[in-house]
Amino acid sequence: MEFENKVIDEAIQGTAIELTNQGGDGKKKLYLESYGCQMNFSDSEVVASILAQDGYETTRNMDEADVILLNTCSIRENAEQRVRNRLTEFKIKKENNPELVVGILGCMAERLKKNLLEEEKLVDLVAGPDAYRDLPNLIEEVGTGQKAVNVLLSRDETYADISPVRLDQGGIAAFVTIMRGCDNMCSFCVVPFTRGRERSRDPHTIVQECQDLFARGYREVTLLGQNVDSYRWNLSSKGEVKNPEEETTNFAQLMEMVALVSPELRVRFSTSHPKDMTDDVLEVMAKYENICPYIHLPVQSGNTDVLYRMNRGYSREWYLERIDAIKRIVPDCAISTDVITGFCGETEAEHEDTLSLMDIVEYDFAYMFKYSERPKTLAERRFDDDVPEEVKGRRLNEIIDKQLAHSLKSNKKQIGTIQKVLIEGPSKRSEEHLCGRTGRNSMVVFPKGTYQKAQYVMVRIDDCTSATLMGEVVSVC
Ligand code: 5AD
Ligand code: SF4
């Protein structure tokens, strides 16, 4: 279904990104493609950094590559299918160039382990999300004619000391990983199996990275984690202080430390979990103008029984209370969500509860998916994937239609207001226009004038679609 794919593509950053960081000649060349969530894109920057130290430079041209790596996603069946198709293309390439090393990284590597090497013979190298430091050795092993694999998950790897090679072309907004893994065990989700136990990164290295980014001209950081609200430095999973010499840091405190790097540095974060999102995080957001008033708070379903089957750890009422807290403490905060339709046993009435919750919250934006059963998850073991495909699709369409109406309503409310926009660069559709985001994360397009990327400007909003605001600059900040 065309529209569903579009929505999913946005959510998993669908199209493969070719990374650009070319340098001089004579170096070994790495071609890296990333699929899936922001965490994967951020990991690819760590991979590029590790391999840069081993003499590799990245290339956009896969024909000149010595090594091709795909950083992959397992979250839904269709994400994996796209990677398999891509690997089949690379297999043909390899037949013409036997020296070429093709490797798979990330969640699919972790999930399928040796299968891709041995049964399907699609790749030479498999490295899971905690094994990237081993990549130079693994590539060397392949060079000696062996198949190389490292899918060990770690309890403490955070790549804290690695300075990621920034691979985006914009150079304005960067993702900074603050924690890895996930301990939540939502019953639909493969992530705990592919990314292992939750662990937080040393806050000093995070602040240092943000300071470096700011000094290099970046004006926005997004603090990334599977569940940022459970960020804890210096506390063990049992709640004991690990190092009495050092203070403990929670997410609210970390965000404050990052906000203090500079008032000119915007701070965003993703993803929050409704069961863990505390008022102190909201209070820090309200206190600092440079922490963007935008929260991604995945609901998944608006029905308490479905949430229980999903093992989400909250009820419909709890979730709505958290929404009230956001609206109370951070007025005018934009809120987005994730919704899954057709989860195991979802009845028509339960689906209606999701629609009614959407009417109450009126999300500014949503990522919406049909449930896709994933091997080894709690849901696969406990429940039947019993909602027929066409019912999942119909419910998804109802949810998408509702969201489009809410997004349009939310954007229309912005018409006539003046918004602070960080300029990201030329608009994709017109050379005469620039684009940038508001703190609420809405994309704004406006005539380019003499304004520059990375500048903050005040834009009067004159018009909108459900996806974009249009306006004109009224002053420079
Ligand atoms: N099927 C469909 N959607 C899923 N998600 C996670 N696992 C699945 C699955 N098995 C969605 C959730 C999550 C987002 C990142 O992907 O909505 O929040
Ligand atoms: Fe996909 Fe989840 Fe892995 Fe990200 S963590 S790449 S969304 S499976």
Side-chain angles (χ1 to χ4, degrees):
M1 194 182 42
E2 197 54 39
F3 195 80
E4 187 210 347
N5 283 340
K6 184 173 168 288
V7 174
I8 287 173
D9 276 355
E10 281 170 20
I12 62 173
Q13 301 287 315
T15 44
I17 292 226
E18 300 152 6
L19 306 169
T20 59
N21 196 34
Q22 295 105 323
D25 285 327
K27 285 193 162 185
K28 294 173 284 183
K29 299 252 188 329
L30 164 69
Y31 176 87
L32 189 47
E33 252 179 33
S34 304
Y35 296 80
C37 62
Q38 278 314 335
M39 187 69 91
N40 253 16
F41 282 72
S42 183
D43 279 1
S44 290
E45 301 187 327
V46 167
V47 167
S49 174
I50 290 168
L51 287 176
Q53 282 165 27
D54 197 44
Y56 282 87
E57 63 183 9
T58 49
T59 174
R60 303 184 94 188
N61 176 3
M62 71 167 90
D63 291 329
E64 63 172 22
D66 302 290
V67 175
I68 294 181
L69 296 176
L70 259 67
N71 198 355
T72 61
C73 174
S74 290
I75 200 119
R76 282 167 290 274
E77 170 86 44
N78 58 0
E80 288 201 354
Q81 195 46 51
R82 289 167 63 197
V83 169
R84 275 178 200 284
N85 296 344
R86 197 70 171 135
L87 286 175
T88 314
E89 284 171 35
F90 291 145
K91 197 175 175 189
I92 298 165
K93 249 186 201 323
K94 207 172 147 62
E95 280 161 11
N96 300 327
N97 175 11
E99 301 287 290
L100 177 67
V101 176
V102 178
I104 182 163
L105 315 177
C107 292
M108 234 175 123
E110 192 62 50
R111 197 179 81 70
L112 296 167
K113 301 189 168 58
K114 288 184 183 166
N115 286 11
L116 291 162
L117 284 175
E118 290 172 358
E119 284 162 33
E120 305 183 40
K121 297 199 176 12
L122 282 171
V123 293
D124 309 303
L125 178 161
V126 178
D130 289 342
Y132 299 149
R133 286 182 204 267
D134 199 23
L135 276 170
N137 302 327
L138 294 171
I139 294 173
E140 207 178 300
E141 266 178 49
V142 175
T144 64
Q146 299 167 57
K147 298 278 180 190
V149 51
N150 184 345
V151 287
L152 286 177
L153 286 173
S154 157
R155 279 189 168 249
D156 48 27
E157 177 64 272
T158 58
Y159 301 111
D161 56 316
I162 294 182
S163 176
V165 172
R166 299 293 163 184
L167 297 156
D168 61 317
Q169 286 154 313
I172 299 192
F175 291 91
V176 176
T177 300
I178 63 163
M179 59 201 296
R180 302 179 69 82
C182 182
D183 284 350
N184 279 333
M185 295 305 266
C186 299
S187 65
F188 50 79
C189 190
V190 78
V191 172
F193 305 96
T194 60
R195 294 199 160 250
R197 299 304 299 269
E198 190 176 282
R199 65 222 98 119
S200 297
R201 176 179 168 191
D202 182 335
H204 305 105
T205 67
I206 296 170
V207 171
Q208 180 70 52
E209 191 175 326
C210 295
Q211 283 167 341
D212 290 348
L213 286 164
F214 185 72
R216 284 162 47 204
Y218 282 81
R219 289 295 172 263
E220 185 177 301
V221 289
T222 302
L223 306 179
L224 275 188
Q226 239 75 44
N227 178 6
V228 291
D229 299 292
S230 58
Y231 176 89
R232 288 278 177 290
W233 175 249
N234 206 19
L235 278 191
S236 74
S237 51
K238 292 188 191 122
E240 294 148 358
V241 175
K242 283 197 279 195
N243 177 4
E245 306 293 297
E246 209 179 333
E247 290 194 7
T248 59
T249 308
N250 66 19
F251 181 57
Q253 290 161 329
L254 174 73
M255 199 152 61
E256 183 153 28
M257 287 160 77
V258 175
L260 288 168
V261 166
S262 165
E264 295 292 298
L265 182 70
R266 274 186 169 177
V267 185
R268 299 185 187 276
F269 54 94
S270 187
T271 299
S272 304
H273 195 301
K275 82 176 160 54
D276 298 319
M277 193 194 64
T278 51
D279 286 358
D280 59 350
V281 169
L282 301 174
E283 277 147 16
V284 173
M285 289 179 77
K287 187 167 160 195
Y288 291 92
E289 201 254 342
N290 58 324
I291 302 181
C292 293
Y294 167 60
I295 298 185
H296 182 60
L297 196 67
V299 66
Q300 314 299 359
S301 165
N303 175 274
T304 297
D305 291 339
V306 176
L307 289 169
Y308 184 75
R309 296 202 290 282
M310 289 177 164
N311 202 28
R312 288 288 287 171
Y314 56 87
S315 62
R316 174 187 172 96
E317 288 68 33
W318 172 278
Y319 184 90
L320 288 172
E321 191 283 322
R322 292 289 75 207
I323 294 289
D324 284 345
I326 297 174
K327 293 188 173 168
R328 187 175 68 243
I329 302 172
V330 194
D332 205 32
C333 186
I335 305 174
S336 63
T337 200
D338 292 342
V339 180
I340 298 178
T341 64
F343 184 66
C344 311
E346 186 189 64
T347 63
E348 212 52 39
E350 289 169 341
H351 164 62
E352 289 293 329
D353 278 348
T354 300
L355 291 168
S356 77
L357 180 131
M358 292 174 78
D359 278 332
I360 296 171
V361 181
E362 294 197 345
Y363 293 106
D364 299 276
F365 189 79
Y367 298 98
M368 297 156 281
F369 314 101
K370 281 193 275 190
Y371 172 60
S372 161
E373 186 176 80
R374 306 311 291 132
K376 292 199 187 144
T377 53
L378 286 178
E380 190 234 17
R381 285 182 277 142
R382 278 192 198 153
F383 309 121
D384 284 339
D385 179 13
D386 55 0
V387 177
E389 195 55 27
E390 63 277 12
V391 175
K392 284 183 185 171
R394 194 253 304 148
R395 290 181 187 169
L396 180 67
N397 282 338
E398 288 174 15
I399 279 173
I400 289 171
D401 286 347
K402 187 166 284 300
Q403 185 51 47
L404 282 178
H406 288 158
S407 295
L408 184 61
K409 186 171 171 192
S410 146
N411 278 352
K412 277 189 173 160
K413 273 197 221 155
Q414 305 298 314
I415 294 178
T417 65
I418 292 177
Q419 300 285 331
K420 185 170 178 177
V421 173
L422 173 60
I423 303 180
E424 290 181 5
S427 145
K428 285 201 187 95
R429 299 233 175 98
S430 142
E431 288 186 2
E432 294 309 306
H433 289 78
L434 291 170
C435 69
R437 282 175 196 278
T438 66
R440 290 169 44 88
N441 209 32
S442 302
M443 183 56 85
V444 186
V445 175
F446 51 91
K448 70 177 180 190
T450 53
Y451 308 109
Q452 302 292 325
K453 139 176 139 172
Q455 224 178 351
Y456 287 105
V457 285
M458 301 304 290
V459 179
R460 190 194 57 240
I461 309 301
D462 298 325
D463 202 359
C464 72
T465 65
S466 64
T468 314
L469 303 174
M470 280 80 84
E472 222 162 291
V473 176
V474 291
S475 62
V476 176
C477 302

